[in-house]
Amino acid sequence: MHDSKLLDEIDLRIIHALQVQPRAPWALIGSVVGIDPVTAARRWTALTESGTAWIAAYPAADPSSVLAFVELRCEPGRLSAIVSEVITHAHVLSVNVHSGRCNVMLEALFADHDSLAHYVLDDLHSMAGVTDVIVLPVTRVFTEGSRWRLGALEPDGVRRLRESGITPPQLGRRYTLEASTAEVVDVLSAQPRISITELAAALGISATSARRRLNTALSQHTLLRCEVARFASGRPVHALYFARSSVAENSARILRTLSDIRLVATVAGPANVIFAGWFPTLSSAAAVEADIAARTPSLEIVDRRIVLDTPKLMGHLLDRQGSSTGVVPVRVSS
């Protein structure tokens, strides 16, 4: 098990800088954080080697793909085996084990609705110990972890970082993924900060072509996400909410402005808004709920669950402390 001590201010600032611009040069990161580039790089190496922080790269949805939350109800004696199986599935981005009627929630990306149906009806329903499956196709993602920030940097530093690199894909805007760009996405899954020279060698193309393909991937097809182990961040409570709203999109827009909320999505289901957040304590989560009730009176929270374990987060395998222990590169199921 990794050391779960809270991170110091310098580490938090480095992680925040990489959340804003995951491929920023160390000279810029050091300047914004207030340390020299060598120290910034050394600190980041220590964070990644311990699994306390990392950068995940995963494909954005294209015009035909389907993102869905899939809930599983499992027999108690089979829960561990089921989780061990689903975390190996490359199209399953994240897995959460939580309190509530269904034990496990998957977030998965499918090439189309037929692929979703095949996975649910043929794969999950035939899995030993799975007693029920609920599918919640996502209609729109309003914010997710690649947009969440620690809040450790000053606004000027955030602005400098944001203006220094490629603007990431807009959530909800979809581009057709070409095979040549898909190759870049696969490389980034394993090496998100790969250099142009290394990328050109990996793909067997010129540096000019590698730069062009990388720019296309980063601006249209790939989400880069600097993550941190939840327990080391000082926010050990992970809460997941199911809500109903007659004006779901308006409610979702309000939810995404709250600093504790890491995920907001509308879904096709009786509860048409799903959101989740990381909190320092259960009481702070309750305070955020009260704030949400005041801001969005049309939103009714119909279910709330505490996440007990996140064995997979956007392709990265995690231990019980939330530290990264390995990677299963994300690929769209077909």
Side-chain angles (χ1 to χ4, degrees):
M1 181 177 293
H2 297 293
D3 189 349
S4 60
K5 292 188 297 184
L6 296 181
L7 298 170
D8 66 23
E9 185 64 22
I10 295 297
D11 285 337
L12 291 173
R13 288 170 68 84
I14 291 171
I15 293 169
H16 186 176
L18 287 165
Q19 287 178 330
V20 178
Q21 199 60 261
R23 289 178 53 85
W26 292 117
L28 176 57
I29 292 172
S31 173
V32 168
V33 171
I35 57 178
D36 65 83
V38 174
T39 301
R42 177 176 53 78
R43 286 245 190 174
W44 177 248
T45 298
L47 289 168
T48 57
E49 288 181 349
S50 68
T52 306
W54 61 94
I55 296 172
Y58 49 99
D62 69 14
S64 62
S65 62
V66 177
L67 179 67
F69 295 105
V70 182
E71 294 189 279
L72 309 180
R73 183 183 292 177
C74 310
E75 296 174 359
R78 291 290 305 169
L79 178 62
S80 179
I82 290 168
V83 169
S84 295
E85 169 65 21
V86 295
I87 63 174
T88 67
H89 299 169
H91 60 284
V92 173
L93 290 83
S94 299
V95 178
N96 285 301
V97 180
H98 49 68
S99 60
R101 182 172 59 87
C102 288
N103 313 95
V104 180
M105 176 177 274
L106 317 180
E107 182 179 353
L109 188 60
F110 302 90
D112 49 36
H113 285 280
D114 285 344
S115 299
L116 167 61
H118 171 76
Y119 184 63
V120 172
L121 299 176
D122 298 336
D123 296 342
L124 293 180
H125 274 291
S126 64
M127 193 175 293
V130 173
T131 60
D132 195 13
V133 181
I134 298 172
V135 181
L136 299 169
V138 173
T139 56
R140 182 176 175 185
V141 177
F142 286 80
T143 193
E144 49 100 75
S146 67
R147 268 61 174 176
W148 183 76
R149 304 290 182 256
L150 281 171
L153 292 176
E154 298 76 17
D156 180 63
V158 172
R159 178 188 56 76
R160 289 171 57 198
L161 285 160
R162 188 181 294 122
E163 293 174 352
S164 71
I166 297 170
T167 301
Q170 294 180 21
L171 296 179
R173 185 171 183 182
R174 299 185 172 200
Y175 300 88
T176 300
L177 179 61
E178 304 294 337
S180 60
T181 307
E183 292 179 341
V184 178
V185 177
D186 284 344
V187 173
L188 289 172
S189 296
Q191 298 175 272
R193 285 180 58 90
I194 192 171
S195 70
I196 295 295
T197 302
E198 292 169 327
L199 179 61
L203 298 178
I205 58 178
S206 69
T208 301
S209 296
R211 185 180 300 278
R212 183 178 65 254
R213 290 193 197 179
L214 177 63
N215 290 347
T216 300
L218 293 177
S219 63
Q220 299 181 7
H221 302 289
T222 308
L223 293 168
L224 295 180
R225 178 164 163 172
C226 180
E227 275 293 0
V228 58
R230 180 159 43 92
F231 289 88
S233 74
R235 296 169 174 267
V237 177
H238 183 185
L240 173 67
Y241 298 90
F242 295 75
R244 185 184 301 115
S245 174
S246 58
V247 285
E249 293 207 352
N250 289 342
S251 297
R253 290 189 184 96
I254 294 170
L255 289 169
R256 72 180 177 187
T257 66
L258 304 180
S259 60
D260 294 293
I261 302 303
R262 285 172 48 95
L263 169 69
V264 182
T266 52
V267 299
N272 55 358
V273 180
I274 289 178
F275 63 100
W278 286 6
F279 308 95
T281 62
L282 283 171
S283 60
S284 62
V288 171
E289 286 188 43
D291 184 34
I292 289 170
R295 290 172 182 255
T296 59
S298 64
L299 184 79
E300 177 193 4
I301 296 175
V302 296
D303 194 9
R304 59 182 56 76
R305 302 174 192 173
I306 300 301
V307 175
L308 306 176
D309 187 24
T310 301
K312 189 177 188 182
L313 180 61
M314 291 300 162
H316 277 250
L317 305 178
L318 310 185
D319 64 15
R320 286 287 177 85
Q321 296 300 304
S323 301
S324 176
T325 60
V327 182
V328 178
V330 175
R331 291 184 175 87
V332 181
S333 172
S334 58

